[in-house]
Amino acid sequence: MKLPQSEKAKKTLGILGREFPGARGTLVFNNPLELLVATILSAQTTDKLVNTVTGTLFRKYKTASDYGSAPLEEIERAIGRVNFFRNKAKSIKGCCRMLADEWGGGVPDTLEALVALPGVGRKTANIVLGNAFGKDALAVDTHVRRVAGRLGLTASDVPGEIEKDLCAVIPKTLWTQTTHLFILHGRKTCKAKRPLCGECPVRELCDYYAAVNKGGKTG
Ligand code: SF4
């Protein structure tokens, strides 16, 4: 008998919670501004590389005004090792200029205000809300999207819809943790190209696994 989606989500998160006790994000930051900058840098780049770049970056630029008033080329040079550094430099500068002009240099703690900043989408906003402000926020990155889809917790491929589907069946207090758990599970087991279904602790709950096995294959 098919489990209701909320039951399936609860069981999945229980199992993944035991698999990854104390799961948390891996970007290094000391305040909301640093996390905002690090998250912008992390698009299609590993957290490990971002952390090696932000060590120096955060010593040089301490306030939103520091970024907002710095020449674009200088920021580009400082982050030159990450993918798409030109676009990211533009986003960081534009976003920090708005923070300095409209928020007194602080980072707002609402989704609406965060997504109004240049270069900041829902994923980045939710990461900042969940991790720098301790709010309940579910961020959909590439791992969350893939894991949720394979498990059958969403039929959508659109991040905003996936977020809605997950938030509808997962208790609010677990939203931030869901992001961490799905990211860790996606990196370790539910890999993009070849998921390691045979050793997956949530395979009995997974639609993808059920479909593959029905076809006579194992993961
Ligand atoms: Fe991913 Fe396979 Fe586990 Fe399903 S069974 S969640 S596809 S690794």
Side-chain angles (χ1 to χ4, degrees), residues 2 5 8-9 12 16 138-159 161-166 169-170 178 182-183 185-186 190-192 195 197 202-203 205-212:
K2 211 166 159 63
Q5 291 291 71
K8 174 172 172 157
T12 302
L16 292 181
L138 200 152
V140 177
D141 80 337
T142 182
H143 298 292
V144 175
R145 178 175 169 171
R146 183 176 70 255
V147 170
R150 284 177 177 166
L151 282 165
L153 290 172
T154 183
S156 177
D157 213 22
V158 179
E161 292 298 314
I162 297 170
E163 183 188 327
K164 228 182 275 170
D165 289 343
L166 292 176
V169 296
I170 294 171
T178 299
F182 280 15
I183 288 175
H185 180 56
C190 194
K191 294 169 184 283
C197 301
V202 293
R203 62 181 179 271
L205 297 159
C206 178
D207 284 8
Y208 177 98
Y209 184 74
V212 167

Side-chain angles (χ1 to χ4, degrees), residues 4-218:
Q5 291 291 71
S6 54
E7 260 311 292
K8 174 172 172 157
K10 189 175 162 196
K11 285 190 173 198
T12 302
L13 291 169
I15 294 167
L16 292 181
R18 287 191 289 281
E19 171 92 351
F20 303 107
R24 58 197 299 273
T26 47
L27 289 173
V28 175
F29 66 97
N30 294 298
N31 55 53
L33 178 65
E34 289 188 357
L35 182 58
L36 180 59
V37 170
T39 307
I40 291 173
L41 289 174
S42 71
Q44 299 187 54
T45 303
T46 64
D47 288 0
K48 199 171 164 197
L49 176 60
V50 171
N51 290 338
T52 65
V53 169
T54 53
T56 314
L57 190 73
F58 294 163
R59 273 194 295 279
K60 182 164 185 184
Y61 305 97
K62 297 200 183 304
T63 67
S65 301
D66 291 344
Y67 291 102
S69 59
L72 187 61
E73 306 72 47
E74 187 187 291
I75 301 176
E76 285 177 358
R77 268 199 305 280
I79 64 168
R81 283 192 290 141
V82 304
N83 296 333
F84 311 112
F85 69 95
R86 288 210 169 84
N87 280 341
K88 289 176 182 177
K90 215 176 285 168
S91 293
I92 290 168
K93 185 175 166 68
C95 155
C96 286
R97 193 182 278 163
M98 193 186 265
L99 290 178
D101 292 348
E102 297 184 16
W103 293 94
V107 177
D109 65 354
T110 65
L111 185 69
E112 297 67 31
L114 283 165
V115 296
L117 298 168
V120 177
R122 284 188 80 89
K123 183 189 82 175
T124 298
N126 278 323
I127 288 173
V128 171
L129 289 173
N131 297 277
F133 292 113
K135 297 202 167 189
D136 303 311
L138 200 152
V140 177
D141 80 337
T142 182
H143 298 292
V144 175
R145 178 175 169 171
R146 183 176 70 255
V147 170
R150 284 177 177 166
L151 282 165
L153 290 172
T154 183
S156 177
D157 213 22
V158 179
E161 292 298 314
I162 297 170
E163 183 188 327
K164 228 182 275 170
D165 289 343
L166 292 176
C167 288
V169 296
I170 294 171
K172 205 172 171 189
T173 51
L174 295 177
W175 288 354
T176 305
Q177 198 58 4
T178 299
T179 301
H180 297 320
L181 292 174
F182 280 15
I183 288 175
L184 290 171
H185 180 56
R187 282 187 189 143
K188 182 183 173 193
T189 309
C190 194
K191 294 169 184 283
K193 285 202 181 122
R194 211 165 177 275
L196 306 174
C197 301
E199 53 197 72
C200 176
V202 293
R203 62 181 179 271
E204 298 308 329
L205 297 159
C206 178
D207 284 8
Y208 177 98
Y209 184 74
V212 167
N213 278 322
K214 213 170 158 190
K217 291 189 218 158
T218 54

